[in-house]
Amino acid sequence: MRRALAVAAISPRDVPVGAILLDADGAELAAAGNEREAAGDPTAHAEILVLRRAAERLGSRRLDGCTLVVTLEPCTMCAGAIVLARVATLVFGAWEPKTGAVGSLWDVVRDRRLNHRPAVYAGVLEQECATLMRDFFR
């Protein structure tokens, strides 16, 4: 999570969300922060970018055995992408009560109707992740 926090702090123009994707052995496959403002792309969330970069690196859309670490609870778009990519484990820091889709508003990743459900670990370094967001919006 500390690596994801460092990635989140890189872009001063965008909401500071950082994500890293680790392979089954714990090696970093990709890292990304939000690039919505820089790219002019509403889908350029840190999670989406890190999944794209890792899939390209591995040559596969399936990220079986991988762990996604992100500083903020994913939204519905990102939660759906995590399920579709078959990410094994999701670790996130701060809860997002306005748009969160891993337990706050919705729980996309644990929906029994879907064919894949990653293990979820929430609230990792929660205060540090939340402080980063509060400071940005202040």
Side-chain angles (χ1 to χ4, degrees), residues 70-106:
V70 61
T71 57
L72 187 66
E73 178 185 4
C75 68
T76 52
M77 174 183 68
C78 295
I82 291 163
V83 170
L84 292 173
R86 307 292 198 278
V87 170
T89 305
L90 168 63
V91 178
F92 72 87
W95 292 92
E96 175 43 281
K98 294 180 182 178
T99 62
V102 186
S104 287
L105 288 180
W106 300 280

Side-chain angles (χ1 to χ4, degrees), residues 16-109:
V17 176
I20 61 169
L21 193 79
L22 308 170
D23 69 14
D25 296 323
E28 185 176 305
L29 293 171
N34 273 350
E35 295 180 14
R36 296 176 312 159
E37 298 299 327
D41 178 355
T43 69
H45 290 202
E47 301 96 322
I48 298 297
L49 297 174
V50 83
L51 293 173
R52 286 177 185 161
R53 291 171 187 168
E56 183 177 340
R57 181 173 176 184
L58 294 175
S60 174
R61 67 176 181 84
R62 290 184 177 245
L63 302 173
D64 298 310
C66 291
T67 297
L68 175 65
V69 180
V70 61
T71 57
L72 187 66
E73 178 185 4
C75 68
T76 52
M77 174 183 68
C78 295
I82 291 163
V83 170
L84 292 173
R86 307 292 198 278
V87 170
T89 305
L90 168 63
V91 178
F92 72 87
W95 292 92
E96 175 43 281
K98 294 180 182 178
T99 62
V102 186
S104 287
L105 288 180
W106 300 280
D107 201 346
V108 172
V109 300

Side-chain angles (χ1 to χ4, degrees), residues 6-17 33-34 37-38 132 135-137:
V7 171
I10 292 172
S11 176
R13 289 188 57 216
D14 216 321
V15 176
V17 176
N34 273 350
E37 298 299 327
L132 186 64
D135 289 351
F136 176 80
F137 286 107

